[in-house]
Amino acid sequence: MRKKPVQQRSQQLVESLVEAAGRVVAQDGLEAVTTIRVAERAGVSVGSLYQYFANKEALLAALVARMNEELRRAVDAAAPRLVRAGPQAMVRGLLEVAFDFFGQRDGLHTELLRNWHRLDIQLGLHRFEQHMLEVMRMYALAHLRELRLDPQPAQGFIVINSVVFTLLRYLSLPRPALFSREQLVDELSRMIAGTMVPGAPVAPRRRASPSTRKR
Amino acid sequence: MRKKPVQQRSQQLVESLVEAAGRVVAQDGLEAVTTIRVAERAGVSVGSLYQYFANKEALLAALVARMNEELRRAVDAAAPRLVRAGPQAMVRGLLEVAFDFFGQRDGLHTELLRNWHRLDIQLGLHRFEQHMLEVMRMYALAHLRELRLDPQPAQGFIVINSVVFTLLRYLSLPRPALFSREQLVDELSRMIAGTMVPGAPVAPRRRASPSTRKR
Amino acid sequence: MRKKPVQQRSQQLVESLVEAAGRVVAQDGLEAVTTIRVAERAGVSVGSLYQYFANKEALLAALVARMNEELRRAVDAAAPRLVRAGPQAMVRGLLEVAFDFFGQRDGLHTELLRNWHRLDIQLGLHRFEQHMLEVMRMYALAHLRELRLDPQPAQGFIVINSVVFTLLRYLSLPRPALFSREQLVDELSRMIAGTMVPGAPVAPRRRASPSTRKR
Amino acid sequence: MRKKPVQQRSQQLVESLVEAAGRVVAQDGLEAVTTIRVAERAGVSVGSLYQYFANKEALLAALVARMNEELRRAVDAAAPRLVRAGPQAMVRGLLEVAFDFFGQRDGLHTELLRNWHRLDIQLGLHRFEQHMLEVMRMYALAHLRELRLDPQPAQGFIVINSVVFTLLRYLSLPRPALFSREQLVDELSRMIAGTMVPGAPVAPRRRASPSTRKR
DNA sequence: GATGAATGAGGCTTCATTCAT
DNA sequence: AATGAATGAAGCCTCATTCAT
């Protein structure tokens, strides 16, 4: 950010610009983001945009940062509850968090994540992976007997990316998909839990009943 | 394609255009693909490009089609050998195929896949998923006793996307990564195999020895 | 024309190129005329087109020449009959000839005339005007007592252009027009006849009856 | 117009763009109008052009609108005087107005009207025809005894188009023409007046004297 | 003679960024 | 600080014409 917005008014301006950028991304896609359009939706002039952001890239970086922040908050909010749950329940819980996260803000996060390679999402993803690895370690400590003892760096990476991109792809599928969100969560949590508790008997597949299937 | 390249010369031109597009994508990224640049690298004029491709999109579609073709070939070539292997070996084999595939052509495939949502890759991915699901079914029939009997539609989807995007992310990581290709393959194959043979004791983790680590 | 097509085959080729150009003009408008498209519709290659026409302009000039030729023929065919008629009947007859002329070939002539200033139609129009002036003189001689004696050069010019462009505009109107072809012909012939037989009582307006109105 | 030019500076810019477009049309013809050329002549960059006009078509539409406006003004300015005149004087007056109109701005109007079918002139022409029909009605009311009572819709159409396109053609003729502007006006006004006052004795032709001939 | 692939100037339009007001 | 008009490079695509085969 070009200038530190110490004053409250500036803070609001920055916020409204990021918010406007988010709306454009969510509604029209990343391609449609132009500095003028963002400024318009924020109700200010382009000049003001450049007062606070060195360039378009910086604006998008801020948007991405906000996304990272929200993701972290979402995970942290769920963490205490999940640490106490059994492996599969924990995974399931995380998946629900992820689904909720993607559902927020009209698919903004979906669109951003789809463009992870263009935006500076890589660093954020990496940090998130590290964070999740840490969480997994903590979880392992709390469930010493049930779990494999030493989560490898690769494991967090795999789990994170498998989950995130599989969900991303699922949400990008033309509706109706060939399988429900329920089924996806089922299979995915089964797979992830299986990685963490190798030998253990995994809960049997849920019965697919119309009432429990969503989406 | 706008015009059917019946003559051999035309065939070569079309080929060299697609090839040139591929080089640009691999070296400079998808964003850098402009019709003029591609034409230049192919050693022809823009006009010639438009003789064979209705527009830029069509050119990229051809490039994607070529990628799909190559992927199919790679999988089909490995299939007979893999069907006979045990679950984890099979998964490992598939992963090697995938790594090889991504390694080809200077990372062209990596860059294309990164942009799956902009290119018309979705259909290809879907077909590939269906294909893999079929393979999984065949594999399940051949290994009735060891495997869960009914691969769900969701399962193929999950496996494919987990593998593909995890590899994609790995290959997009700044070198050196925190873990080796070996480790990634290890954990990934462990996870995938685990999904297919739930209760079975999975082979223990390989010892990480410097000599076996690549990349 | 670049080359005199002495041989019959060449004659046919030239003819089919002009014909093809005409079809493109009539169906898609003058703007849509490209050398390649014309060649395609004629079933030959562009190269062949340039064998017989120095450039696109020359091709269109040939098309225009054909139009002029047809117009001359149409007028000459009707002339003997018309010379014997009374003034208003003569004018009426000419108008019918003109309407028929425009109706031919899917509106080709309409489209060509609309573009008289771009094509080399001016010369043709001029010659046509001279021709008509001559016809008017002949007619005047045959009807000495009824007509003004000395058709001025300006008069032929006016009559021709008034008729041609008024019809052209009428045919370019979005259907349905506010008045019928019948009414147009009525008023137009009344006006023209009035110019030629100034003091004479002009035939009263026809009763407009549904059955006599066309278009 | 893309953006409303509220500020005076913008107003001027828009004006100068339209003006520049007009100059290009008048000097080089409609075909020669390119966005860059117009911008250059207006002394600004293409980008500025697109700030105020969605596309080239919109720019030309503005030019046409200006023409319509000027025509309306010219007619309205002359109307009060003409309504009081006798039929032939009125027609003559209108013709002078038309000649003046076409003479303005280096033949811009001539070139625009030549392209009535490409530009959105049709609507303007139509409205003008309606307007003139109205004028004719008013004139008829004021001269009940001398005129035919009921101008038909077709009549306005015919008169307008005959006059406009005949003048257009005359002005497009290579100089020197075979007859003078005087002669043209003479014959044309005689014809038009004749339509409106069918039985009345029309004023005899003016003597063509060198001194009264112009152009 | 015939073919049609190849050329490339040139047209339209967008948009990140700057800077005078 | 805010504005928003102005810039112009750069992208996509067309098409009249040529010329090697």
Side-chain angles (χ1 to χ4, degrees):
Chain A
M1 220 166 297
R2 188 170 262 180
K3 201 180 271 195
K4 263 205 185 162
V6 258
Q7 305 187 358
Q8 200 198 351
R9 179 135 162 275
S10 309
Q11 280 282 13
Q12 278 175 13
L13 187 50
V14 166
E15 186 49 43
S16 78
L17 281 166
V18 174
E19 172 62 25
R23 282 202 306 272
V24 175
V25 170
Q27 289 166 24
D28 309 324
L30 185 65
E31 299 262 58
V33 173
T34 69
T35 49
I36 286 194
R37 194 176 310 192
V38 169
E40 259 169 13
R41 295 230 194 156
V44 299
S45 66
V46 233
S48 294
L49 190 159
Y50 279 89
Q51 192 80 203
Y52 294 105
F53 296 97
N55 48 36
K56 188 172 115 166
E57 199 192 345
L59 171 65
L60 291 173
L63 186 58
V64 167
R66 195 180 74 171
M67 175 180 75
N68 288 336
E69 178 61 23
E70 290 182 10
L71 178 55
R72 202 176 50 65
R73 259 210 288 274
V75 172
D76 287 356
R81 173 169 52 80
L82 295 177
V83 168
R84 275 182 256 109
Q88 200 153 352
M90 179 205 68
V91 172
R92 214 169 249 288
L94 280 176
L95 285 173
E96 294 298 340
V97 168
F99 258 114
D100 288 351
F101 177 70
F102 278 135
Q104 284 171 350
R105 297 182 185 268
D106 282 326
L108 164 61
H109 298 149
T110 322
E111 177 67 4
L112 287 179
L113 229 16
R114 266 191 218 110
N115 292 279
W116 57 274
H117 56 291
R118 307 196 177 209
L119 304 171
D120 272 336
I121 292 186
Q122 316 237 32
L123 182 58
L125 270 177
H126 179 65
R127 279 202 293 242
F128 184 60
E129 280 152 17
Q130 297 300 95
H131 186 53
M132 290 305 287
L133 198 61
E134 209 48 52
V135 170
M136 285 172 81
R137 276 217 181 82
M138 287 171 51
Y139 189 82
L141 284 176
H143 299 254
L144 268 182
R145 282 162 310 193
E146 322 164 45
L147 297 181
R148 271 166 53 200
L149 294 177
D150 50 345
Q152 302 289 308
Q155 208 179 4
F157 183 83
I158 289 169
V159 168
I160 272 295
N161 285 292
S162 295
V163 167
V164 167
F165 284 102
T166 298
L167 291 197
L168 187 60
R169 274 274 291 145
Y170 180 72
L171 292 173
S172 304
L173 241 33
R175 310 276 95 165
L178 293 175
F179 46 90
S180 68
R181 168 175 165 164
E182 278 300 307
Q183 285 173 297
L184 185 74
V185 170
D186 247 41
E187 293 291 339
L188 207 43
S189 59
R190 176 189 290 276
M191 179 177 83
I192 303 300
T195 338
M196 304 172 71
V197 204
V202 174
R205 233 173 231 168
R206 294 186 170 185
R207 294 257 152 201
S209 69
S211 63
T212 62
R213 296 195 178 183
K214 289 192 220 162
R215 273 220 153 174
Chain B
M1 220 164 296
R2 188 172 262 182
K3 204 184 265 191
K4 261 199 185 167
V6 261
Q7 306 189 357
Q8 201 201 345
R9 181 133 161 273
S10 312
Q11 280 282 11
Q12 279 175 14
L13 182 49
V14 165
E15 189 48 45
S16 78
L17 281 167
V18 174
E19 175 60 28
R23 281 201 308 272
V24 175
V25 170
Q27 290 165 25
D28 309 325
L30 184 67
E31 298 262 58
V33 173
T34 70
T35 51
I36 284 198
R37 193 175 316 194
V38 169
E40 262 169 10
R41 295 236 192 150
V44 297
S45 66
V46 232
S48 292
L49 190 160
Y50 281 92
Q51 292 249 339
Y52 297 103
F53 297 97
N55 47 40
K56 189 172 107 164
E57 197 192 348
L59 173 64
L60 290 173
L63 187 59
V64 167
R66 198 179 72 172
M67 176 180 74
N68 287 337
E69 179 61 21
E70 290 182 10
L71 177 55
R72 204 178 49 68
R73 259 209 290 274
V75 172
D76 286 355
R81 173 169 52 80
L82 296 176
V83 168
R84 274 183 257 108
Q88 201 154 353
M90 180 204 70
V91 172
R92 215 169 247 289
L94 279 177
L95 285 174
E96 295 298 342
V97 168
F99 259 113
D100 289 351
F101 177 70
F102 278 134
Q104 285 171 349
R105 300 182 184 270
D106 282 326
L108 164 61
H109 298 149
T110 321
E111 175 68 4
L112 287 179
L113 228 19
R114 267 190 215 112
N115 292 278
W116 57 274
H117 56 291
R118 305 196 178 210
L119 304 170
D120 271 338
I121 291 186
Q122 317 237 29
L123 182 58
L125 269 178
H126 179 66
R127 278 202 294 242
F128 186 59
E129 281 152 18
Q130 297 299 95
H131 187 51
M132 291 305 287
L133 196 61
E134 210 49 52
V135 170
M136 286 172 80
R137 273 213 185 84
M138 287 172 51
Y139 189 82
L141 283 176
H143 300 252
L144 269 182
R145 281 163 310 193
E146 322 163 45
L147 298 180
R148 269 167 53 199
L149 294 177
D150 51 345
Q152 303 288 307
Q155 207 180 3
F157 183 83
I158 289 169
V159 168
I160 269 294
N161 284 293
S162 296
V163 167
V164 167
F165 284 101
T166 299
L167 291 196
L168 188 60
R169 274 276 291 143
Y170 180 71
L171 293 172
S172 305
L173 243 35
R175 309 279 94 166
L178 293 176
F179 46 91
S180 69
R181 168 176 164 164
E182 277 301 309
Q183 284 174 298
L184 184 74
V185 170
D186 245 41
E187 293 292 339
L188 207 41
S189 60
R190 175 190 290 276
M191 178 176 83
I192 303 300
T195 339
M196 304 171 73
V197 206
V202 174
R205 231 173 233 169
R206 293 185 172 188
R207 293 257 153 207
S209 68
S211 63
T212 62
R213 295 197 179 182
K214 292 190 217 164
R215 274 219 152 181
Chain C
M1 222 166 299
R2 186 171 265 182
K3 199 181 274 192
K4 263 207 182 159
V6 259
Q7 304 187 0
Q8 201 198 350
R9 180 137 162 273
S10 310
Q11 280 283 10
Q12 279 174 14
L13 188 48
V14 166
E15 186 49 42
S16 78
L17 281 166
V18 174
E19 173 61 26
R23 281 202 307 273
V24 175
V25 170
Q27 289 166 24
D28 310 324
L30 185 65
E31 299 262 60
V33 173
T34 69
T35 50
I36 286 193
R37 194 178 307 194
V38 169
E40 259 169 12
R41 294 229 194 157
V44 299
S45 65
V46 232
S48 294
L49 190 160
Y50 278 89
Q51 193 79 205
Y52 294 104
F53 297 96
N55 49 36
K56 188 171 117 169
E57 198 192 347
L59 172 64
L60 291 173
L63 186 59
V64 167
R66 196 180 73 172
M67 175 179 75
N68 287 336
E69 178 61 20
E70 290 183 10
L71 177 55
R72 204 177 49 66
R73 259 210 290 274
V75 172
D76 288 356
R81 175 168 52 79
L82 295 177
V83 169
R84 273 181 261 110
Q88 200 152 353
M90 181 205 67
V91 172
R92 216 168 247 289
L94 279 177
L95 285 174
E96 294 300 339
V97 168
F99 259 115
D100 289 352
F101 177 69
F102 279 134
Q104 285 171 349
R105 299 181 185 269
D106 283 325
L108 165 60
H109 298 150
T110 322
E111 177 67 5
L112 287 179
L113 230 18
R114 265 191 218 111
N115 292 279
W116 58 274
H117 56 291
R118 305 195 179 212
L119 305 170
D120 272 336
I121 292 186
Q122 317 234 32
L123 182 58
L125 269 177
H126 180 65
R127 278 202 296 242
F128 185 60
E129 280 151 18
Q130 297 301 93
H131 187 53
M132 290 306 287
L133 197 61
E134 210 49 51
V135 170
M136 285 172 82
R137 277 215 181 83
M138 286 172 51
Y139 188 83
L141 284 176
H143 298 254
L144 267 181
R145 281 161 311 189
E146 322 164 46
L147 298 181
R148 272 167 52 198
L149 294 178
D150 50 345
Q152 303 288 310
Q155 206 179 6
F157 183 83
I158 290 170
V159 169
I160 269 295
N161 285 292
S162 296
V163 168
V164 166
F165 285 101
T166 299
L167 290 196
L168 187 59
R169 274 274 291 143
Y170 181 70
L171 293 172
S172 304
L173 243 34
R175 310 276 94 167
L178 292 175
F179 45 90
S180 68
R181 168 175 165 163
E182 278 300 306
Q183 285 173 296
L184 184 74
V185 169
D186 247 41
E187 294 290 340
L188 207 43
S189 59
R190 175 190 289 275
M191 180 176 82
I192 303 299
T195 339
M196 304 173 71
V197 204
V202 174
R205 229 171 236 169
R206 294 185 170 189
R207 293 258 153 201
S209 68
S211 62
T212 61
R213 295 194 179 184
K214 290 191 221 163
R215 273 220 156 176
Chain D
M1 219 166 296
R2 189 170 263 181
K3 204 183 265 191
K4 260 199 185 168
V6 261
Q7 306 190 356
Q8 201 201 347
R9 180 134 162 271
S10 313
Q11 280 282 12
Q12 279 174 15
L13 182 49
V14 165
E15 189 47 46
S16 79
L17 281 166
V18 174
E19 174 60 28
R23 282 201 307 273
V24 175
V25 170
Q27 289 166 25
D28 309 325
L30 184 67
E31 299 263 56
V33 174
T34 70
T35 51
I36 285 197
R37 193 172 317 192
V38 169
E40 262 170 8
R41 296 236 192 149
V44 298
S45 67
V46 233
S48 292
L49 191 160
Y50 280 91
Q51 291 249 342
Y52 297 102
F53 298 96
N55 49 36
K56 186 173 110 166
E57 198 191 347
L59 172 63
L60 290 173
L63 188 58
V64 167
R66 197 179 73 171
M67 176 179 74
N68 287 335
E69 178 62 21
E70 291 183 8
L71 177 55
R72 203 178 50 66
R73 258 210 290 273
V75 171
D76 287 355
R81 173 169 52 81
L82 296 176
V83 169
R84 275 183 256 108
Q88 200 154 352
M90 179 202 70
V91 172
R92 212 168 250 290
L94 280 177
L95 285 174
E96 294 299 339
V97 168
F99 258 114
D100 289 351
F101 177 70
F102 278 134
Q104 286 170 347
R105 300 182 185 270
D106 282 326
L108 163 61
H109 298 149
T110 321
E111 177 66 4
L112 287 179
L113 228 18
R114 269 191 214 110
N115 291 278
W116 58 274
H117 56 291
R118 307 197 178 209
L119 304 170
D120 270 338
I121 292 186
Q122 315 236 32
L123 182 57
L125 269 178
H126 180 65
R127 278 201 293 240
F128 186 59
E129 281 151 20
Q130 298 299 95
H131 187 53
M132 290 306 287
L133 197 61
E134 208 50 51
V135 170
M136 286 173 80
R137 274 213 184 85
M138 286 172 50
Y139 190 82
L141 283 175
H143 300 253
L144 269 181
R145 281 163 311 194
E146 324 163 45
L147 298 180
R148 270 166 54 200
L149 294 177
D150 51 344
Q152 301 290 308
Q155 208 180 1
F157 182 83
I158 289 169
V159 168
I160 274 293
N161 285 291
S162 296
V163 167
V164 167
F165 284 102
T166 298
L167 291 196
L168 187 60
R169 274 274 293 141
Y170 180 71
L171 293 172
S172 305
L173 242 34
R175 310 275 96 159
L178 293 175
F179 46 91
S180 68
R181 168 176 164 162
E182 277 302 306
Q183 285 174 298
L184 185 73
V185 170
D186 246 40
E187 294 291 337
L188 208 41
S189 59
R190 176 190 291 278
M191 179 175 83
I192 302 300
T195 338
M196 302 172 73
V197 205
V202 174
R205 236 172 228 167
R206 293 185 170 188
R207 293 256 154 206
S209 68
S211 63
T212 62
R213 294 197 181 184
K214 293 190 214 162
R215 273 221 155 179

